[in-house]
Amino acid sequence: MRKTTASILMLLVWPLAACSTTSGEAPPDGMPSTHASAKPGASEPEPEDPGPKDVAPRAVADAQDLKEHLDPKINHLRNTFGEGTNSPCSSASSKLFTSGCAQAVEETADVARAATKQIEGAGKYATLRLVADKILDAERGYSAARCSVGPSGPSVRAQCLDHGAVIAQAPVDLHQGVVAGLAGN
């Protein structure tokens, strides 16, 4: 039964594989060439641009400029403070209620402000805009709750945990916002 199934699949796939070669490529082993009449050097149709079809060229350039502007800043955050559970602002970090997290909050908010300034007036970049706004809200909340001086009340500590989680995740979210911008979102 298996040998029969394999034989049937080979009969179905073999003609398709033979058709997939172009005049500049050699056919797969055991496959006959289907381009015997093609003249060497004959022009082939140009491949289509793999970029987004509904995004204007200037928008793609703007998105690339945004990436080039923000990537070094995001990488600085990653390299200096880490991300996720490696961040000083992670809920599991002993530095959450210290100046170590406060510095991460400040520098992360600076990157969020830079992102906001870069996309100001642009009708796109919704993902990056949401991320930046969330980070700036977390910065305001962290500062207002005085999280860096070790708040004592459980409700304030809970707020600090929430704000810290946003900051800890910020490098990943900012990067995803930039990638979404490159995709036209």
Side-chain angles (χ1 to χ4, degrees):
M1 176 75 175
R2 289 181 187 219
K3 194 170 189 176
T4 305
T5 304
S7 298
I8 292 172
L9 284 173
M10 186 61 167
L11 288 173
L12 294 174
V13 174
W14 182 62
L16 294 175
C19 293
S20 67
T21 62
T22 61
S23 62
E25 299 175 344
D29 289 343
M31 299 292 162
S33 174
T34 58
H35 294 284
S37 64
K39 295 178 184 174
S43 65
E44 294 182 20
E46 291 291 319
E48 288 189 35
D49 178 22
K53 301 289 184 232
D54 59 341
V55 179
R58 182 65 211 154
V60 172
D62 290 342
Q64 190 62 37
D65 292 345
L66 176 73
K67 180 184 183 321
E68 290 172 8
H69 179 77
L70 291 180
D71 272 356
K73 296 175 186 313
I74 295 168
N75 288 334
H76 169 75
L77 292 176
R78 285 180 166 149
N79 295 334
T80 305
F81 303 109
E83 58 189 16
T85 58
N86 295 320
S87 169
C89 298
S90 165
S91 59
S93 175
S94 61
K95 297 179 182 178
L96 174 62
F97 301 110
T98 68
S99 60
C101 179
Q103 184 178 358
V105 169
E106 182 180 324
E107 290 192 37
T108 303
D110 287 345
V111 174
R113 277 189 276 283
T116 302
K117 184 176 181 182
Q118 283 286 116
I119 61 176
E120 188 176 4
K124 53 186 177 176
Y125 305 110
T127 303
L128 184 57
R129 188 173 281 110
L130 288 171
V131 168
D133 288 347
K134 188 174 180 179
I135 292 167
L136 294 173
D137 287 345
E139 177 210 22
R140 285 187 290 274
Y142 188 89
S143 296
R146 299 177 37 91
C147 297
S148 65
V149 294
S152 58
S155 66
V156 176
R157 288 179 76 81
Q159 290 174 19
C160 293
L161 288 170
D162 289 344
H163 301 312
V166 170
I167 299 301
Q169 185 64 25
V172 173
D173 291 346
L174 285 165
H175 175 73
Q176 289 175 345
V178 170
V179 170
L182 285 170
N185 298 322

